Every structure is written in structure tokens, then in C-alpha cells.
Amino acid sequence: MSGATVSVIVAIVGVGGTLASAVITQVLAQRAESRRSDREEWVRIAEQRASEDQRKIDQLRSCYVQLNAHDRYYRDAMLAYAYALKSGSADAEAAELSNARRAQRDTRAEAQLVASDAVLELESRVNAHLTTAYRDLMEVAGESDPSARQVRLNQVIDLLDSIIPQQGHVRARMRLDVRATQELPDWYNPEIGLTTHHQTSHR
């Protein structure tokens, strides 16, 4: 093989090597760019999901704050009305009760769209007792016998007091839903949502 031929072969190999090196470099660069793009897309999707999740938690927290406040407001307004009836005139308390009942009804309507099933189930029991107490109060207001009126008012007050621990269960479940706590308290009863726990901190 002549020296010229060898030179040509060497030149061809050198050019081929250079071209192959360029191709390999380009492929590696494309793979690196693809991995970088994939990582950026994964981060973007993760951030988007986290943002959406936080938005839902914030919406739920706002709903729960209102529901908890208005359930308590409704109960307190009925209690004030009951004590006012025991004393005599209750016109001012009746107006306040009407406002509380309307606010609680509107808040429950919103909660039924966003609250968890667990919270709705527990809160519906609270609402059932509140509804019973309201019906009884309206009947007592028309009671003409003073003695019977006092007895029935005491029964309504007892019913309203019994709602306090139930509301504590609702709040415990709400706190879990909005991630304010990682677990339910020891006194929580997941089966019936009732408890004999009567600590004043639940008021």
C-alpha cells in the first residue's frame, strides 16, 4: 500500500471520527436537554398540583370557619332566646335568632357543596338537634301555661347544652380535613360522632 493511499485512509478515518464525535456530542446534548425539560415539566406539574391543592384547602378552611361560627351563633342565639322567654320579653332575642338561623342556613348550603362526607355527616346531626330546638322554642313561645312553659324551656336549654360536645366532634373532623392536625383526638368517636367529653375548651 502506497504512502498516498495510507494518507487518504487516515484522512477518511479522521474525518469520520470527527463527524462521529460531532454526532455523538449532539445526541448527548439532546438527551441532556430532554432530561432537563422533563425535570422542569415535572417541577411545573408538581408546583401546579400543590398550588391547586392549597387553593382547595384554603377554600375548605374558609367554609369550615363560617360553618362552625354560624352553627355556634345559631345555638347561642337560641339559648339567649330561651333564657329571655324564661324572664319575660324576648323581642330583641327573637330578631337575633332569626338572623342567626338565616346565616346558618346559607352557610350550610355552601358547605354541602365543598365539605367532606365525614364533616357533613357529623354536622347534619348537630343541625338536626338545632332544628328540633328551634321548633320547640317556637312552640314554647306560644305556651300559655307559665308552669308548662318553664318546664319546656328547661328541656330546650338542656338540648342546646347537649349539642356542645357534638360540635366539638365536628370541629375535630374539620381540623383534620384542613390539615391543622394529623390525627383525631382520643375522645373522638368515629362511629356515632357523640361523646361524653364535656371539657369547657369545646365551648
Side-chain angles (χ1 to χ4, degrees):
M1 182 180 294
S2 66
T5 301
V6 170
S7 297
V8 170
I9 292 173
V10 170
I12 291 173
V13 170
V15 170
T18 301
L19 292 175
S21 176
V23 170
I24 291 172
T25 300
Q26 183 179 9
V27 170
L28 292 176
Q30 288 175 341
R31 288 180 179 176
E33 176 64 20
S34 177
R35 287 194 295 270
R36 185 186 66 80
S37 297
D38 289 344
R39 285 195 299 270
E40 290 179 350
E41 178 66 10
W42 182 87
V43 169
R44 186 189 67 79
I45 292 174
E47 289 177 344
Q48 187 178 45
R49 286 176 177 172
S51 177
E52 177 65 16
D53 187 49
Q54 186 59 50
R55 185 192 67 79
K56 290 180 179 179
I57 290 295
D58 290 343
Q59 179 188 28
L60 194 61
R61 181 181 291 107
S62 176
C63 172
Y64 283 175
V65 166
Q66 292 297 313
L67 183 60
N68 177 55
H70 286 144
D71 272 354
R72 294 180 66 180
Y73 174 36
Y74 188 26
R75 175 198 165 274
D76 292 347
M78 277 195 280
L79 196 60
Y81 182 60
Y83 278 112
L85 285 175
K86 285 174 70 73
S87 301
S89 176
D91 292 342
E93 288 78 8
E96 187 70 13
L97 174 55
S98 179
N99 292 335
R101 184 167 184 260
R102 187 180 308 109
Q104 192 255 9
R105 183 184 60 220
D106 293 344
T107 303
R108 290 195 81 245
E110 178 185 356
Q112 287 168 349
L113 299 179
V114 299
S116 68
D117 291 342
V119 166
L120 287 177
E121 181 180 356
L122 291 175
E123 196 279 335
S124 67
R125 295 170 183 168
V126 170
N127 185 68
H129 287 301
L130 290 171
T131 300
T132 298
Y134 179 80
R135 184 186 65 240
D136 291 348
L137 274 177
M138 295 302 101
E139 293 177 356
V140 171
E143 176 63 63
S144 58
D145 183 348
S147 178
R149 181 170 178 163
Q150 293 297 317
V151 170
R152 294 193 62 187
L153 282 172
N154 287 334
Q155 292 172 343
V156 172
I157 291 171
D158 286 344
L159 173 58
L160 291 170
D161 285 342
S162 75
I163 294 173
I164 295 175
Q166 295 180 47
Q167 290 178 315
H169 276 82
V170 178
R171 284 192 297 274
R173 188 71 221 196
M174 287 177 172
R175 284 173 53 79
L176 187 67
D177 280 4
V178 300
R179 301 173 189 170
T181 184
Q182 297 301 313
E183 59 184 15
L184 292 165
D186 293 339
W187 47 262
Y188 181 84
N189 187 330
E191 294 300 321
I192 59 175
L194 302 176
T195 182
T196 57
H197 188 72
H198 289 287
Q199 290 184 0
T200 56
S201 60
H202 284 182
R203 290 178 181 268

